[in-house]
Amino acid sequence: MGRHLAILAAVGLLAGCAAKRPTLYPNEKYNSVGKAQADQDIADCEAKAKEFVKSGGANSQMAKDAAKNTAGGAVVGAAGGAVGGAIGGDVGQGAAVGAASGATAGLVGTLLGGLFSGGSGPDPVYANFVETCLREKGYQPIGWN
């Protein structure tokens, strides 16, 4: 069941990313080169952005967030578990269970937040990279469709 859910999430994520492309304002540059060349320039900028993101440009921040949230969850979970353990009679076991639960919650929250954030558009770093690249080529990106 878990494997099927992971595959479904990956397919949905890929489908969502593939659908969004920048829309260009028909300025002088766009009108002089035409739609075919503009599409080729968009593809070039998208390839460069994917390489940048793949190299860690965007993912390094998510990794930092995951580490911070996991550690924070462990601390909060341990404190809560210790209180619960004190009531139940075993502070150490309560703290250990709480720490593990809190760390897991922090990590899963970060991963799911990254998976579902920005559902209305592409990854912000990717989108900004593509738009900057297109501006450097003389285009005026006005949105994503």
Side-chain angles (χ1 to χ4, degrees):
M1 176 70 174
R3 189 173 128 208
H4 295 279
L5 183 60
I7 291 170
L8 182 62
V11 169
L13 188 67
L14 290 175
C17 292
K20 300 287 184 182
R21 295 206 65 203
T23 301
L24 301 176
Y25 179 78
N27 66 356
E28 185 178 328
K29 169 71 176 187
Y30 180 89
N31 290 331
S32 70
V33 300
K35 181 176 176 8
Q37 181 61 49
D39 286 342
Q40 191 173 5
D41 288 339
I42 289 171
D44 176 58
C45 288
E46 288 177 328
K48 289 176 181 176
K50 285 177 188 170
E51 185 61 35
F52 176 77
V53 171
K54 187 172 98 175
S55 72
N59 294 334
S60 61
Q61 185 59 44
M62 185 173 180
K64 289 176 188 174
D65 290 345
K68 180 177 73 174
N69 291 343
T70 300
V75 169
V76 171
V83 171
I87 294 169
D90 191 347
V91 175
Q93 183 178 5
V97 170
S101 301
T104 301
L107 178 61
V108 170
T110 300
L111 294 176
L112 290 179
L115 181 64
F116 295 110
S117 68
S120 63
D123 172 73
V125 173
Y126 173 84
N128 285 334
F129 189 103
V130 171
E131 290 175 11
T132 299
C133 177
L134 290 168
R135 282 188 197 97
E136 288 177 353
K137 291 178 183 276
Y139 297 102
Q140 290 178 286
I142 57 173
W144 290 75
N145 286 327

